[in-house]
Amino acid sequence: IFDVFRNQYFYLGEPIVVNIPESATQLVSILLINEVADESNAGLVGGLTATIGILASPLASVLGVQLFGFFRPDLSDRANFVKDTHHFRWVVAISC
């Protein structure tokens, strides 16, 4: 699609489309946790699942940065984005 449609605003629609179902999923999981947990351990179960969710995001970022370090040409170099070669377009497409 990167050779067909070159408008940067076209690619902003994807995060919006992804975030709405993720928010709905998070709401359902919170309601499910409240239903599954007993009165005696509701705080423990809620805190444990919240902690796991909070720790998952930074861990995923660290692993993603390490993984993106293997891509060549380098995704961190602005010159590669300016050159906009066909090979670099494929590297960016694979990294998403």
Side-chain angles (χ1 to χ4, degrees):
I1 194 165
F2 48 78
D3 278 335
V4 177
F5 200 74
R6 301 273 305 171
N7 188 347
Q8 69 267 21
Y9 297 110
F10 173 76
Y11 297 100
L12 290 176
E14 188 261 340
I16 294 171
V17 172
V18 169
N19 286 332
I20 292 173
E22 283 180 1
S23 299
T25 303
Q26 186 174 5
L27 176 65
V28 169
S29 68
I30 289 171
L31 294 174
L32 183 65
I33 289 167
N34 287 334
E35 290 296 322
V36 170
D38 294 334
E39 289 181 15
S40 62
N41 67 351
L44 175 70
V45 172
L48 184 63
T49 54
T51 302
I52 290 170
I54 290 169
L55 290 177
S57 180
L59 181 62
S61 296
V62 168
L63 293 175
V65 167
Q66 293 298 320
L67 179 67
F68 291 151
F70 293 117
F71 286 105
R72 294 291 178 249
D74 193 12
L75 291 171
S76 301
D77 189 9
R78 283 187 171 202
N80 292 326
F81 288 96
V82 173
K83 290 178 190 172
D84 197 28
T85 63
H86 184 72
H87 176 69
F88 187 68
R89 290 183 191 176
W90 276 104
V91 170
V92 171
I94 291 170
S95 71
C96 293

